[in-house]
Amino acid sequence: MLRTENLGKTYATGDEALKDVSVEIGGREVVAMIGPSGAGKSTFVRCINRLTEPTAGTVTLDGTELTALGKKELRNARRDIGMVFQEYNLVERLTVMENVLSGRLGYVSTWKAFRRNFSQKDVQRAYDLLELVGLDDMENKRVDELSGGQRQRVGIARAVIQEPKIILADEPTSSLDPETSRDVMRLLTDIAVDRNIPVLINIHEVHLAEQYADRILGLHDGNLVFDGRTAELTGDAKDVIYRDEGMPEAPAAETAADTASTTDKPTDPVPVEE
């Protein structure tokens, strides 16, 4: 269970990015955080694992108060938090397999990490995850040879191999085309269900949040202004979240695809991207 209580972030400029945000996320739910640009969505996600240091409030994961940990303790605690980044955050000169296995670095000694000496169990787990994300037989490719969608799948596999207690995804679809974005969202939701891991996704595309998330968090100007099931995200609720900012609209082709789909989260296998 992830719990934030009165989480706040004020920058040195005096700008308040977050204001007393309190939420609980657990089980295997997929939670999408939406809101206009500058609402504090990325700041919230990054404050959870202290890539950005909060200035107020607490973050607790399964009874461990992350905001109270020193550097060494925080390093160990971060093994329990899988992170999927907007710009992938991969080592492009390394292979797909090496990037996935980097998710196990927190579990091996410094010497083994330097030599990239991982156990056979970890290697087999990496092969299994590459098959799961649709990248089997690509383990020896360098990451800089992959498409954006394939790189994002490597990032997801790297997060899952940590065996985390929660996965945080910071705008995982913002650099992808509509079809690949749906593939990535489907993959994240399937992982949440199959592995019983809650997933928190900071996402700009509201239509994808509505299609794939179980629950929606709405931020506006650093304030949590909506917290409810996806079906409760009415037009009035969207107006509260976006107000004068204007809600981003789905591309026409994407809208048609969403209309044709069911309201249930898809469970069909993720196709391999050509």
Side-chain angles (χ1 to χ4, degrees), residues 99-164:
N99 272 277
V100 173
L101 284 171
S102 70
R104 299 299 297 173
L105 288 175
Y107 294 90
V108 300
S109 67
T110 302
W111 176 242
K112 285 187 176 182
F114 176 76
R115 300 186 65 184
R116 295 199 287 274
N117 184 6
F118 297 96
S119 70
Q120 186 56 44
K121 181 179 179 181
D122 284 342
V123 172
Q124 184 57 54
R125 186 182 291 123
Y127 275 114
D128 293 342
L129 285 171
L130 287 176
E131 182 177 1
L132 172 71
V133 301
L135 295 178
D136 43 326
D137 298 327
M138 300 185 71
E139 66 273 9
N140 293 320
K141 274 187 170 289
R142 280 176 48 134
V143 165
D144 56 11
E145 299 174 358
L146 303 182
S147 69
Q150 290 169 333
R151 294 182 193 194
Q152 196 58 284
R153 295 180 198 184
V154 174
I156 292 171
R158 178 188 58 189
V160 176
I161 204 172
Q162 292 178 219
E163 298 183 323

Side-chain angles (χ1 to χ4, degrees), residues 56-273:
T58 60
V59 178
T60 304
L61 181 61
D62 281 4
T64 299
E65 186 182 332
L66 303 180
T67 39
L69 300 180
K71 289 184 178 180
K72 182 177 180 180
E73 295 169 314
L74 178 61
R75 179 179 180 272
N76 290 334
R78 280 177 173 157
R79 297 183 302 192
D80 295 329
I81 305 172
M83 188 77 183
V84 179
F85 295 88
Q86 176 181 357
E87 297 299 334
Y88 320 126
N89 202 35
L90 304 173
V91 182
E92 299 207 346
R93 63 183 175 82
L94 297 182
T95 66
V96 168
M97 176 62 78
E98 289 171 317
N99 272 277
V100 173
L101 284 171
S102 70
R104 299 299 297 173
L105 288 175
Y107 294 90
V108 300
S109 67
T110 302
W111 176 242
K112 285 187 176 182
F114 176 76
R115 300 186 65 184
R116 295 199 287 274
N117 184 6
F118 297 96
S119 70
Q120 186 56 44
K121 181 179 179 181
D122 284 342
V123 172
Q124 184 57 54
R125 186 182 291 123
Y127 275 114
D128 293 342
L129 285 171
L130 287 176
E131 182 177 1
L132 172 71
V133 301
L135 295 178
D136 43 326
D137 298 327
M138 300 185 71
E139 66 273 9
N140 293 320
K141 274 187 170 289
R142 280 176 48 134
V143 165
D144 56 11
E145 299 174 358
L146 303 182
S147 69
Q150 290 169 333
R151 294 182 193 194
Q152 196 58 284
R153 295 180 198 184
V154 174
I156 292 171
R158 178 188 58 189
V160 176
I161 204 172
Q162 292 178 219
E163 298 183 323
K165 295 177 179 177
I166 189 170
I167 291 178
L168 309 177
D170 190 13
E171 297 200 32
T173 61
S174 63
S175 301
L176 307 178
D177 62 76
E179 182 177 355
T180 305
S181 294
R182 290 195 299 272
D183 291 342
V184 167
M185 290 295 291
R186 184 183 300 116
L187 178 57
L188 287 169
T189 56
D190 287 348
I191 286 170
V193 173
D194 295 342
R195 295 174 180 262
N196 201 34
I197 302 172
V199 177
L200 171 62
I201 306 171
N202 162 25
I203 190 165
H204 184 68
E205 300 91 343
V206 177
H207 61 286
L208 290 178
E210 290 179 295
Q211 186 177 0
Y212 291 97
D214 304 307
R215 177 179 162 203
I216 304 289
L217 303 177
L219 281 184
H220 184 94
D221 194 27
N223 293 292
L224 183 66
V225 296
F226 179 84
D227 182 354
R229 311 307 295 174
T230 306
E232 298 171 331
L233 187 68
T234 62
D236 288 343
K238 293 174 186 177
D239 288 342
V240 170
I241 297 169
Y242 289 93
R243 301 183 194 179
D244 298 330
E245 309 289 337
M247 191 182 76
E249 295 184 2
E254 184 75 350
T255 303
D258 290 345
T259 301
S261 68
T262 64
T263 56
D264 292 332
K265 291 185 292 184
T267 56
D268 51 307
V270 178
V272 176
E273 186 177 13

